[in-house]
């Protein structure tokens, strides 16, 4: 099929609008054997922190009716080990690369950006302002002022465009989005998983983030609201399992999308999803995604 | 590593335990004991994560693998309702297997459905001329499946309610028989609940037996990506789906 | 089984902790043929407004993967017709009665309470501060100050204890809960459905509230958080389909629960659920729900 | 009103259309044409709302009801996979049926799967000695099921692609044949897409035929509780599951 799935994202061309979300692609090495690289526009690393993080005690992931709850707790090797052990092979991949960074404190975001700044093969940095699995009282993404500050300070030292990843657990996403824009964010990613709680065995609690199908209608609504107040590119994330889900995200105002939980179930999903997307376009008589330019403002 | 296999059997052994048999193609890598498969139970939104199961046996000639499972929740329930001839999607074989060599004189200690990887281990050890001692513990007589597959003179059975074999927890029965095993065996292989594995490790340490244990933990991807399935070791958390499920018990940071 | 499911709620005895939620029991008459009255502690009416409301254009309800989206738009006959046509037969029911009221403006809540005040057979009023299907920019339940004011003014004229029904779409539920308490709320109901968006056919949008299974872990987390800051009785609502779900709500800190979407699928669910609850208690060796008094602070 | 029925048949008529046959107990209230059943497809979280289907036929002696359905999404797909002997849970019969009396000379106009309630209506009218005229429109020849059940001299068929019967939209074919029907019939009964029903109502009004239409709409409870399933009438929104699905077309506030 002569159908072109490529999209322009912050001045770069993604082969498809499908990004692999942070936390479900590891540092990319373990997922690569399952991937058709042509089906993926960009890959996002697990969120990297300044210090290595052990993560939360198990259990860390469980299926509940209709969703998945994870409480990984940002387990990662820390930025130094990441640079030493993983970055070189990541940078050899054909798709665009997004490095997700997470600070325990506000000041750590610019530090992380600075440490990564010399590796120009990185295409974008994503600021994880919204991890639900930390001990903090509030997420950064729940405090517009804090988002603004973090982004502003990171922007100063980052040679890479910045994507701010937001949380659904806010009263007004528009406020947060506007603060990020004011701080200098180049794009927004909506949404991270939703903070929740379950009991997985007699009285045993798991606090974590909900992901999977129910996030889609939530994310669509937040994207629609956000689209009304900003023309920043938006990455739509949450509950994408099929090509048709991506169409809905475009209709709501997203410019590209990212796949999370589906990769846990089906690590080879991107190829299927890209194929479905092509079929949908073909059957509607389109040969590229530019038919959505009106809704996305591209 | 991703396969669509045909179900050649899915047989109830008692109301809660089933034996699933699957036809594998010749390209399916011969699995090793301790490895597991990650089974896709159904489609979203019904089922969103796969379910991990040890390989219970591998018949290389007939190209069949078997999975022995217990119904504990929604996923295993749905699995039990699948019919012969239906297709099933799985990832595998996954994980790091048990280790032994010609000098190993093994005792396999399993509890409940934890016997699954040990059954496969038994079969493969016998192929290399090793005849392991076996001690299996169950809740009650109804659960004591497959006992006829093990040589009676090296097979010990216990049930918690005493309705078959010796009465008691499998670890207590092991302790009782330690004098018998002393000087005979040199390595314990075990699979079951974490508390049981910890007790077995204590016994093994005291007796200076080597000890390998296979863990269960809730899993996401099953292929090392999500960090969902860890166990605490002396070198920090390790992934059960990748560095495990089999670990040298000395490595584990027991609580 | 000699098992007693009754709970004390605001000084009244509910036969079971199971309340029928607002909007899924109509004005009670149509559901009654399906109900075993002994399985239900209380019934909540559809939210009643000052003026009759037509509601939103169809479609109004749709299943999406893992959840249900409704956009009824508070269709109801208005308080005058409700009093004239429905109240008398409602008051004859054996279970406790909760009348849900909703104001288009803040001032309408006390007006509604006053109009209902002479009907002493009503046990509780529930203030729907959180309907996701109105045209307003913000929900009352997203503005702690507004909640406080509404409750305070309603409390003045209401002879009935007041339950405030809250929205999950807030940055900090604790702030809202405390404002409600300060305003004089006697109990809180968490949660109403979550504002979302879906496309149900080529490009056709439905904005509405998500209900069903995914609301349970969300509601449990919000209840746990709320329980830390208040000892008000809490009604746990969201995604209850089975007796075991109710146990989880008690563990998180709820004092009773309400059933929403399950009634759409299975109008006779309360009897099954009460039976399951009894079986769980029996198999744990309990003969009443008082085993949960520690977690609920009762 | 809630029933667990045994499936006695679930037969594909073509790749996308099925006929479901269910055994009902003698206590099942005899359904009337236009009424529907609300079928529980599966368990949460797989299926959270029932799906409504018109009753396609009722055989009072054999105590069977039939449902004629088209696969359009996840629920109807799952329904099509159900097997004979399985149980199915439904609410019904629900809703308000079509109305006619001995003076009625009816024309039944249906589009696609909208023929379902009209088929039942036809059967019941014939029992009361009325032989309706019938005009059914489909996409193409493959979809033209059940034509043999209607007396050929009073049966008109149309397809959009002309592969069977007359070519064109059912409403256009109706318009073309109005001269034939004038003076013969006095009431149109119709079921199908809303736009089609509206056009038919216009024709009926012009010709001074009475007109009853049966609507489809997304449903929640199916029993009048949730206000989920409304259609706009001149007296405001009315519930399709309760006041409908059959309405006097004059009542409807067409857009
Ligand atoms: C390496 C490994 C090997 C295993 N081998 C076997 C085997 O051979 N036979 C057997 O019967 N079982 C085995 N298990 C356990 C099996 O995976 C669980 O019983 C199964 O996942 C339960 O699914 P469910 O949907 O029925 O339970 P539910 O409790 O409804 O599942 C809810 C969620 O919890 C997870 N979960 C619940 N219990 C467990 C558990 N014990 N381990 C992992 N995840 C769990 C599920 O995967 C799911 O995400 C093994 C587990 C692991 C990790
Ligand atoms: C009174 C009535 C009688 C009907 N009779 C028949 C019949 O005899 N044969 C037949 O094939 N179909 C009939 N329908 C339509 C049938 O209910 C839908 O095709 C079915 O609900 C689609 O379910 P799904 O899960 O396959 O589709 P999906 O699109 O996956 O469903 C998603 C959601 O949308 C709802 N939905 C989607 N389309 C419709 C629709 N057209 N009407 C109602 N709800 C819809 C579903 O119920 C579900 O909640 C009737 C509908 C009504 C209201
Ligand atoms: C196991 C797991 C780990 C995750 N880890 C991260 C992470 O490290 N950083 C991050 O920004 N998001 C993380 N997420 C969130 C996802 O990137 C995504 O935002 C979320 O899961 C919603 O998308 P989905 O519904 O497609 O899963 C994680 C999600 C899962 C399921
Ligand atoms: C069809 C429908 C109508 C509803 N109408 C109301 C309403 O009028 N007032 C209200 O407070 N909540 C209303 N709700 C919300 C429910 O009372 C409940 O809070 C929500 O559905 C979450 O519970 P559940 O997951 O059990 O459905 C409605 C929900 C549904 C599904
Ligand atoms: S399950 Fe994902 S890393 Fe083991
Ligand atoms: S579907 Fe609930 S009122 Fe009709």
């Amino acid at each position: 099929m002569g159908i072109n799935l490529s999209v322009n994202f912050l001045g770069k061309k993604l082969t498809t609008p499908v990004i692999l979300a942070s936390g479900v692609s590891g540092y990319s090495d373990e997922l690569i054997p399952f991937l058709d690289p042509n089906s993926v526009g960009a890959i996002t690393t697990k969120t990297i922190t300044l210090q290595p993080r052990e993560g939360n005690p198990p259990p860390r992931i469980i299926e509940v009716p209709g969703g998945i709850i994870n409480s990984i707790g940002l387990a990662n090797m820390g930025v130094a080990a990441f640079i030493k052990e993983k970055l070189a092979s990541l940078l050899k991949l054909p798709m665009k690369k997004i490095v997700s960074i997470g600070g325990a404190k506000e000041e750590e975001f610019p530090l992380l950006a600075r440490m990564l700044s010399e590796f120009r093969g990185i295409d974008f940095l994503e600021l994880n302002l919204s991890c639900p699995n930390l001990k903090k009282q509030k997420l950064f993404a729940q405090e517009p002022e804090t988002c603004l500050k973090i982004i502003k300070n990171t922007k100063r030292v980052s040679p890479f465009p910045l994507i701010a990843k937001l949380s659904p657990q806010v009263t007004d996403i528009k406020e947060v989005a506007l603060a990020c824009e004011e701080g200098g964010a180049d794009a927004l990613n909506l949404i991270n998983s939703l903070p929740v709680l379950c009991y997985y065995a007699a009285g045993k609690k798991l606090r974590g983030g909900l992901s999977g199908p129910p996030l889609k209608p939530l994310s669509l609504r937040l994207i629609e609201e956000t689209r009304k107040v900003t023309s920043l590119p938006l990455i739509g994330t949450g509950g994408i399992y099929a090509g048709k889900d991506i169409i809905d995200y475009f209709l709501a105002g997203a410019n590209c999308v990212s796949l999370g939980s589906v990769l846990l179930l089906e690590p080879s999903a991107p190829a299927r999803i890209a194929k479905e997307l092509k079929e949908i376009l073909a059957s509607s008589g389109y040969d590229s995604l530019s038919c959505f330019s009106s809704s996305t403002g591209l | 590593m991703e396969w669509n296999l045909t179900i050649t059997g899915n047989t109830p052994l008692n109301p809660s335990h089933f034996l699933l048999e699957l036809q594998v193609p010749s390209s399916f890598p011969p699995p090793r004991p301790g490895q597991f498969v990650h089974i896709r139970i159904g489609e979203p939104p019904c089922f969103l994560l796969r379910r991990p199961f040890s390989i219970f046996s591998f018949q290389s000639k007939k190209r069949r693998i078997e999975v022995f499972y217990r119904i504990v929740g929604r996923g295993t329930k749905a699995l039990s309702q699948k019919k012969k001839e239906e297709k099933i999607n799985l990832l595998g074989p996954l994980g790091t297997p048990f280790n032994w060599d010609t000098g190993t004189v093994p005792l396999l200690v399993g509890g409940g459905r934890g016997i699954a990887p040990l059954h496969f281990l038994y079969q493969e050890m016998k192929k290399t001329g090793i005849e392991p001692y076996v001690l299996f513990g169950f809740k009650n007589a109804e659960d004591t499946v497959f006992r006829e597959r093990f040589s009676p003179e090296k097979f010990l059975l216990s049930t918690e309610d005493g309705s078959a074999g010796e009465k008691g927890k499998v670890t207590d029965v092991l302790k009782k028989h330690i004098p018998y095993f002393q000087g005979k065996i040199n390595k314990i292989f075990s699979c079951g609940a974490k508390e049981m594995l910890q007790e077995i490790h204590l016994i093994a340490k005291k007796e200076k037996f080597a000890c390998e244990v296979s863990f269960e933990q809730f899993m996401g991807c099953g292929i090392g990506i999500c960090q969902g399935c860890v166990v605490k070791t002396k070198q920090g958390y390790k992934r059960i789906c990748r560095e495990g499920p089999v670990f040298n018990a000395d490595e584990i940071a027991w609580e």
Side-chain angles (χ1 to χ4, degrees), chain A, chain B:
Chain A
M1 290 182 286
I3 291 182
N4 178 1
L5 290 185
S6 71
V7 293
N8 180 304
F9 181 69
L10 295 174
K12 300 209 175 185
K13 182 176 149 182
L14 311 192
T15 319
T16 78
V18 174
I19 298 173
L20 307 185
S22 180
V24 290
S25 326
Y27 306 109
S28 83
D29 39 356
E30 266 124 347
L31 190 58
I32 288 301
F34 292 92
L35 282 186
D36 167 5
N38 292 319
S39 64
V40 175
I43 187 165
T44 316
T45 66
K46 174 77 193 164
T47 297
I48 313 288
T49 55
L50 205 53
Q51 301 302 323
R53 286 179 57 94
E54 280 219 283
N56 292 338
R60 289 179 171 184
I61 188 159
I62 184 168
E63 181 175 336
V64 295
I68 294 169
I69 300 179
N70 86 79
S71 172
I72 310 294
L74 287 193
N76 80 98
M77 50 176 50
V79 66
F82 170 72
I83 288 174
K84 211 169 108 195
E85 297 168 28
K86 300 288 181 181
L87 191 53
S89 61
L90 176 70
L91 294 184
K92 291 202 191 92
L93 296 179
M95 61 287 269
K96 300 288 175 261
K97 295 92 189 168
I98 305 176
V99 176
S100 168
I101 57 174
K105 298 184 229 121
E106 297 170 30
E107 309 84 71
E108 294 182 0
F109 284 93
L111 278 177
L112 283 158
R114 202 189 302 258
M115 292 176 72
L116 291 163
S117 58
E118 63 182 278
F119 302 98
R120 295 305 165 98
I122 296 172
D123 296 284
F124 313 102
L125 286 191
E126 181 167 281
L127 311 189
N128 181 355
L129 305 167
S130 44
C131 177
N133 293 321
L134 305 175
K135 293 273 129 54
K136 298 175 71 255
Q137 272 285 338
K138 277 205 171 181
L139 311 176
F140 297 124
Q142 290 177 325
E143 302 173 315
E145 285 305 309
T146 313
C147 291
L148 192 157
K149 238 166 63 191
I150 291 176
I151 296 169
K152 201 169 184 178
N153 292 331
T154 311
K155 186 83 185 165
R156 266 193 212 118
V157 297
S158 167
F160 314 112
L162 299 185
I163 305 164
K165 188 160 179 190
L166 305 186
S167 171
Q169 193 62 67
V170 294
T171 303
D172 187 353
I173 193 76
K174 298 188 292 301
E175 266 180 51
V176 187
L178 287 173
C180 291
E181 181 164 22
E182 200 184 327
D186 298 286
L188 306 175
N189 183 343
L190 278 67
I191 51 180
N192 213 315
S193 51
L194 180 68
V196 297
L197 164 70
C198 76
Y199 295 90
Y200 60 94
K204 289 194 186 164
K205 245 180 224 190
L206 183 69
R207 282 197 201 83
L210 186 75
S211 65
L215 260 67
K216 187 185 144 194
L218 175 57
S219 183
L220 289 177
R221 200 253 309 163
L222 294 168
I223 285 173
E224 188 195 44
E225 284 185 16
T226 305
R227 181 46 80 220
K228 282 191 191 134
V229 299
T230 177
S231 56
L232 287 182
L234 302 179
I235 304 176
T237 305
I240 296 177
Y241 284 81
K244 65 179 164 43
D245 295 326
I246 297 179
I247 304 289
D248 294 348
Y249 271 97
F250 275 100
L251 290 173
N255 303 74
C256 48
V257 298
S258 83
L259 306 184
S261 305
V262 68
L263 292 174
L264 303 178
L265 180 67
E266 190 186 344
S268 62
R272 171 182 60 80
I273 289 177
K275 186 165 157 275
E276 289 170 357
L277 203 50
K278 280 191 182 172
E279 286 165 1
I280 294 170
L281 286 181
S283 75
S284 324
Y286 295 110
D287 61 0
S288 82
L289 287 162
S290 57
C291 50
F292 291 105
S293 49
S294 68
S295 49
T296 57
L298 277 180
Chain B
M1 285 224 296
E2 185 180 348
W3 310 90
N4 282 313
L5 304 179
T6 304
I7 298 178
T8 50
N10 194 10
T11 319
L13 305 169
N14 65 32
S16 56
H17 290 84
F18 281 69
L19 193 66
L20 175 70
E21 195 194 50
L22 303 167
Q23 188 75 47
V24 299
S26 55
S27 50
F28 192 82
R32 301 297 305 146
Q35 288 191 300
F36 69 96
V37 290
H38 209 26
I39 295 185
R40 182 167 181 161
I41 304 286
E43 296 302 302
C46 304
F47 292 101
L48 303 171
L49 290 177
R50 292 168 183 265
R51 302 291 191 269
F53 298 95
S54 301
I55 294 170
F56 176 79
S57 84
F58 172 59
Q59 296 159 272
S60 58
K61 280 207 207 97
K62 289 168 79 182
R63 304 221 64 85
R64 300 257 164 104
I65 58 170
E66 284 178 319
V67 163
F68 167 61
Y69 65 96
R70 180 185 165 85
I71 300 181
V72 301
R74 223 163 50 79
T76 42
K77 179 82 197 242
L79 186 58
S80 75
Q81 285 159 355
K82 298 208 187 271
K83 301 268 176 308
K84 232 167 133 158
E85 309 300 331
E86 285 183 47
K87 289 273 179 187
I88 206 160
N89 177 286
L90 59 77
L91 304 176
L94 301 173
T96 303
F98 289 108
N99 296 290
W100 76 97
D101 59 31
T102 49
T104 307
V105 191
L107 167 63
L108 319 186
V109 186
R113 66 184 185 210
I115 66 165
L118 302 176
H119 173 270
F120 187 22
L121 180 60
Y122 182 87
Q123 290 189 325
E124 295 294 301
M125 282 178 160
K126 281 192 73 166
K127 282 190 196 158
T128 65
I130 296 173
E131 168 111 35
Y133 292 87
V134 176
L135 166 55
F136 281 173
F138 299 96
K139 276 245 157 57
N140 52 45
E142 196 191 43
D143 284 356
T144 62
V145 285
F146 300 118
R147 47 197 296 185
E148 73 294 346
R149 299 204 177 177
F150 303 93
S151 349
E153 61 284 4
K154 288 186 155 187
F155 183 68
L156 264 172
L157 180 74
S158 74
T159 55
E160 286 177 28
D161 67 356
S163 54
E166 300 189 32
K167 179 173 172 152
K169 288 201 308 177
V170 68
T171 43
D172 293 335
V173 175
L174 173 58
K175 274 185 210 149
K176 198 174 106 194
H177 290 278
I178 278 297
Y180 169 77
F181 289 122
Q182 274 162 343
K184 282 208 187 75
I185 65 158
N186 58 19
K187 186 164 183 177
I188 296 180
F189 296 84
S190 189
C191 180
K194 194 167 177 194
E195 305 71 46
M196 176 192 118
L197 298 180
Q198 179 165 15
E199 276 196 62
I200 285 172
H201 178 234
L202 281 178
I203 298 168
K205 236 171 42 183
K206 186 152 159 253
E207 305 296 331
K208 306 216 159 45
F209 302 147
C211 183
E212 282 191 354
V213 289
S214 175
F215 284 102
E216 287 188 7
Q217 187 49 268
F218 294 23
M219 284 190 177
C221 65
I223 55 173
I225 288 166
C226 73
Q227 306 280 346
C229 63
V230 295
V231 63
K232 189 133 196 166
T233 73
K234 289 174 179 155
Q235 298 89 49
Y237 285 123
K238 289 199 173 168
R239 297 167 299 181
I240 288 180
C241 71
R242 198 85 186 192
E243 286 82 40
V246 174
F247 290 90
N248 180 335
D250 292 332
E251 265 192 69
I252 301 303
W254 304 101
E255 274 120 52

